[in-house]
Amino acid sequence: MKKICVSVMVERPDQVLETMTRARDVGANLLEWRLDVTREPEVERVLHQAPLPVIATVRPSEHGGHFEGTKEEQLRLLLRAAAGGSSYVDWEFRREEDLPDELAAMRERVIVSYHNFQETPSENILKSLFNEMAAIKAGVVKVVTLAQKMEDNLSLLNLIGQGKKQGVKVVAFCLGSLGRISRVVCLLVGGAFTYAALERGAEAAPGQFTLQEMKQLLEMLQ
């Protein structure tokens, strides 16, 4: 089954479950709850009632998110989500840094992620980066970069094949208008899942399709 994850980015805590339910009803398979966006999130209550598996994400501002707290505070919020029942937690990859011990103890539930909002590094750099991330042995390796030319899409999609050879689940696609095609094709070449917005105006990143658009494109291509 081609898995589409809808990013839930709402400020009001009372809107989270409503948005999650709407995403399920439209056909999402996974949910990413952006805890850095929701004010005073009711983590345990929401996760107990969530209609689909949830990826808990606390994206710091330096990685394109809204969280202004410390790394320790970010970790505490993610661990709270994990204890509350999230299927995955998303943790930014930092070169030459190991996973925190608490996440290493549950690494199969960790998505170790790398985002580059300025460019797509060269293929050699990407392969080296991917190998470092794969060595962590997390549940999923996620690599997302900005496409500055169409060839950048191939560089990211090739990481999925690299992951297959190593037995690693991979999410890899490009951001921006030039990267939109990779958001769909990544599923067709074996990516673990892709991301979509519930509706226009709710995009979590540049170039994101809506859930309906993604489903229509997949139906056309399959």
Side-chain angles (χ1 to χ4, degrees):
M1 181 173 61
K2 303 294 187 287
K3 289 190 175 182
I4 305 174
C5 177
V6 165
S7 302
V8 177
M9 297 180 61
V10 293
E11 291 188 10
R12 286 171 40 193
D14 62 315
Q15 293 178 317
V16 177
L17 279 171
E18 173 195 350
T19 305
M20 288 180 169
T21 301
R22 286 173 56 212
R24 179 204 60 191
D25 292 346
V26 179
N29 312 107
L30 287 167
L31 301 164
E32 179 192 42
W33 184 10
R34 285 287 300 274
L35 288 157
D36 53 298
V37 176
T38 305
R39 298 192 306 267
E40 299 182 8
E42 299 169 354
V43 175
E44 293 78 11
R45 183 182 71 84
V46 168
L47 290 173
H48 181 69
Q49 299 180 51
L52 289 170
V54 174
I55 300 166
T57 300
V58 183
R59 188 78 65 217
S61 55
E62 66 266 27
H63 291 276
H66 300 269
F67 188 70
E68 298 291 349
T70 66
K71 192 163 64 172
E72 290 72 24
E73 290 169 334
Q74 177 195 15
L75 177 60
R76 281 199 295 272
L77 187 50
L78 286 174
L79 292 173
R80 184 179 161 196
S86 67
S87 296
Y88 289 102
V89 297
D90 187 304
W91 184 256
E92 290 80 20
F93 173 70
R94 298 168 175 90
R95 301 194 91 154
E96 301 180 359
E97 280 190 29
D98 293 329
L99 278 183
D101 290 343
E102 299 91 336
L103 295 182
M106 45 173 265
R107 66 179 72 237
E108 70 282 351
R109 294 172 62 193
V110 175
I111 297 171
V112 60
S113 62
Y114 168 84
H115 297 81
N116 189 324
F117 294 94
Q118 283 74 49
E119 63 178 357
T120 296
S122 69
E123 284 205 44
N124 286 339
I125 291 175
L126 281 174
K127 287 180 180 179
S128 175
L129 176 75
F130 179 85
N131 285 331
E132 288 184 48
M133 296 174 73
I136 294 172
K137 299 190 183 302
V140 179
V141 170
K142 176 185 174 188
V143 182
V144 179
T145 65
L146 178 68
Q148 295 182 314
K149 55 186 185 297
M150 289 302 293
E151 292 84 350
D152 289 340
N153 292 293
L154 291 176
S155 297
L156 267 290
L157 295 172
N158 284 338
L159 296 179
I160 297 173
Q162 190 174 340
K164 283 182 178 179
K165 293 176 183 176
Q166 300 179 29
V168 178
K169 292 181 181 178
V170 180
V171 172
F173 54 81
C174 282
L175 301 166
S177 58
L178 290 178
R180 299 191 90 195
I181 188 172
S182 66
R183 290 179 173 274
V184 182
V185 176
C186 67
L187 290 182
L188 304 180
V189 297
F193 53 88
T194 193
Y195 289 76
L198 178 56
E199 56 202 356
R200 185 61 55 217
E203 296 87 350
Q208 199 171 63
F209 290 106
T210 66
L211 178 56
Q212 287 283 23
E213 289 170 339
M214 182 68 74
K215 289 172 60 182
Q216 289 169 0
L217 287 166
L218 286 169
E219 287 173 6
M220 289 168 52
L221 292 170
Q222 287 176 17

